[in-house]
């Protein structure tokens, strides 16, 4: 089937399910639910609806039970509003994305705290070696001049030594 059609159907299913949970499903077990995403298989036979629940684990479990019991009513309304010959089967899955995001924020806060601790420890520290260990062009030019000067002195010293032969320098 067409992937674009499956995406459009998934968006429509997400809207219908969210409206149903907001207006028509009056189950007391249903907590503060947000439908985050819906995905449809390419053959349009199954739809997975992702949701989050604000609250504790017990409220999550109650909401999952309420969604399971209302699955038939929601599926019939999806079929009526989408106009499909074969309405996709619905599966409700708790979306772990907000929990993962909360965990990542906790990890970032921990990393920031450790960075601040390391910065406090490094305040009075001094370098173990030179303050700037990198070589710059001025340093390289000065070293090259020193090497050339030392080589020039060695050459001058070699020519002054007697070679034993006239006109030939020692190599």
């Amino acid at each position: 089937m067409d992937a674009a059609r499956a995406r459009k159907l998934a968006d429509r299913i997400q809207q219908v399910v969210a409206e149903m949970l907001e207006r028509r499903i009056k189950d007391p077990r249903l907590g503060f639910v947000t439908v985050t995403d819906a995905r449809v298989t390419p053959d349009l036979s199954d739809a997975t609806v992702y949701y989050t629940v604000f609250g504790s684990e017990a409220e999550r479990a109650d909401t999952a039970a309420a969604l399971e019991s209302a699955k038939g009513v929601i599926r019939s309304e999806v079929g009526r509003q989408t106009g499909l010959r074969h309405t996709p089967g619905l599966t409700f899955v708790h979306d772990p994305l907000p929990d993962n995001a909360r965990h990542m924020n906790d990890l970032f806060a921990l990393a920031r705290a450790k960075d601040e601790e390391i910065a406090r420890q490094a305040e009075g520290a001094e370098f173990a070696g030179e303050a700037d260990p990198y070589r710059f062009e001025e340093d390289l030019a000065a070293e090259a001049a020193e090497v050339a000067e030392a080589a020039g002195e060695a050459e001058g010293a070699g020519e002054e030594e007697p070679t034993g032969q006239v006109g030939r320098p020692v190599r």
Side-chain angles (χ1 to χ4, degrees), residues 78-122:
V78 165
R80 191 179 69 70
Q81 288 195 22
T82 58
L84 294 174
R85 177 183 284 180
H86 298 288
T87 304
L90 297 179
T91 305
F92 291 98
V93 176
H94 179 262
D95 191 0
L97 185 67
D99 296 333
N100 291 343
R102 191 175 314 110
H103 179 66
M104 291 295 290
N105 283 338
D106 292 345
L107 290 176
F108 287 139
L110 180 65
R112 258 188 246 104
K114 293 222 181 231
D115 285 347
E116 289 171 2
E117 178 183 333
I118 290 171
R120 276 194 306 274
Q121 290 175 353

Side-chain angles (χ1 to χ4, degrees), residues 13 32 34 38 48 99 104 130 147 153 159:
I13 288 173
F32 187 71
T34 302
T48 304
D99 296 333
M104 291 295 290
E130 296 177 22
V147 169
E153 290 175 5
E159 289 179 6

Side-chain angles (χ1 to χ4, degrees), residues 4-5 19 43 45-46 57 72 75 93 96 100-102 107-108 120 128-129 134 140 147-148 150-151 153 167:
R5 182 174 181 207
E19 288 173 7
D43 64 352
S45 63
D46 292 311
E57 287 294 325
R75 183 171 183 247
V93 176
N100 291 343
R102 191 175 314 110
L107 290 176
F108 287 139
R120 276 194 306 274
Y134 298 103
L140 294 175
V147 169
E153 290 175 5

Side-chain angles (χ1 to χ4, degrees), residues 38-79:
R39 296 194 182 146
V40 179
T41 57
D43 64 352
L44 308 180
S45 63
D46 292 311
T48 304
V49 179
Y50 295 91
Y51 68 94
T52 61
V53 179
F54 183 75
S56 66
E57 287 294 325
E59 290 171 331
R60 241 182 243 160
D62 289 344
T63 299
L67 289 172
E68 254 335 283
S69 69
K71 186 186 288 189
V73 174
I74 295 171
R75 183 171 183 247
S76 64
E77 184 66 20
V78 165

